[in-house]
Amino acid sequence: MDRVVRLGLTNVVYFQCNLDYFTARFDVGVSLHACGVATDIVLEKCFEHRARFVSCPCCYGKLYEFDRIRYPRSGVFQRSELLLKEYLCIAHCADQTHDLESSRTNVAKSQQGFFCMDVIDKDRALRAEEFGYSVVVKRLRPENCTPKNRVLVGVLEE
């Protein structure tokens, strides 16, 4: 918020609330370290409002289903017959990532975790594409800037 004031931006509004209570119109949804299912709640809200999004997921192992969020997310993954328990196992493994620079890190396990993050985020990207979005999934640099260092950016295709 300080940066918005310092830069003199007048078209930025912040809301910190449970998304179930958020009803205002918006053009861009941003989430940083949205734990587990929170990432998918944010994305669904963006789809509903046809808003662009920038999302940095976190805590992949905290995915769970409830009335409006089901896993797998995309039709492609759903048609693969991947069972919910298998999907959640992949999500749990995605949390097994650690700093590769540390001598205490199990590198093979961390690389497996990075792969599992990519699988979950691919499912999210495919879901967004079903709503007409063009999605880019990238890794943040430097790698240790955030524990999960992933970002999904989505824009509606014109």
Side-chain angles (χ1 to χ4, degrees):
M1 291 203 253
D2 292 339
R3 287 185 187 144
V4 169
V5 171
R6 192 173 62 243
L7 295 170
L9 301 176
T10 58
N11 62 342
V12 177
V13 178
Y14 289 92
F15 289 94
Q16 182 177 349
C17 67
N18 181 320
L19 280 180
D20 289 333
Y21 305 115
F22 182 78
T23 59
R25 186 186 161 286
F26 64 98
D27 300 316
V28 180
V30 177
S31 63
L32 179 61
H33 293 285
C35 272
V37 71
T39 294
D40 298 301
I41 294 170
V42 168
L43 293 177
E44 288 299 316
K45 187 65 88 167
C46 290
F47 302 157
E48 176 186 332
H49 287 267
R50 310 290 292 156
R52 292 164 286 205
F53 60 84
V54 178
S55 180
C56 293
C58 190
C59 306
Y60 289 73
K62 291 186 178 178
L63 296 182
Y64 61 89
E65 292 190 324
F66 63 100
D67 61 331
R68 19 180 238 286
I69 301 291
R70 299 279 181 234
Y71 295 99
R73 306 293 302 136
S74 69
V76 171
F77 274 57
Q78 289 167 5
R79 288 186 297 277
S80 75
E81 299 181 16
L82 182 66
L83 299 175
L84 175 61
K85 68 180 182 178
E86 296 167 332
Y87 190 90
L88 296 179
C89 183
I90 293 168
H92 175 73
C93 289
D95 275 347
Q96 306 304 310
T97 57
H98 305 283
D99 181 7
L100 293 176
E101 302 299 318
S102 171
S103 61
R104 299 182 331 194
T105 296
N106 179 327
V107 174
K109 193 174 197 178
S110 284
Q111 288 173 334
Q112 178 185 27
F114 292 132
F115 177 79
C116 290
M117 280 194 292
D118 292 341
V119 169
I120 299 298
D121 288 336
K122 180 63 175 179
D123 184 36
R124 289 170 166 156
L126 288 169
R127 170 95 172 141
E129 289 172 5
E130 292 168 359
F131 284 90
Y133 285 83
S134 175
V135 181
V136 175
V137 180
K138 292 286 187 180
R139 294 172 80 155
L140 300 170
R141 300 282 186 251
E143 289 282 331
N144 62 356
C145 69
T146 176
K148 299 302 177 204
N149 77 356
R150 295 297 193 273
V151 62
L152 292 86
V153 179
V155 252
L156 281 167
E157 295 182 341
E158 298 296 321

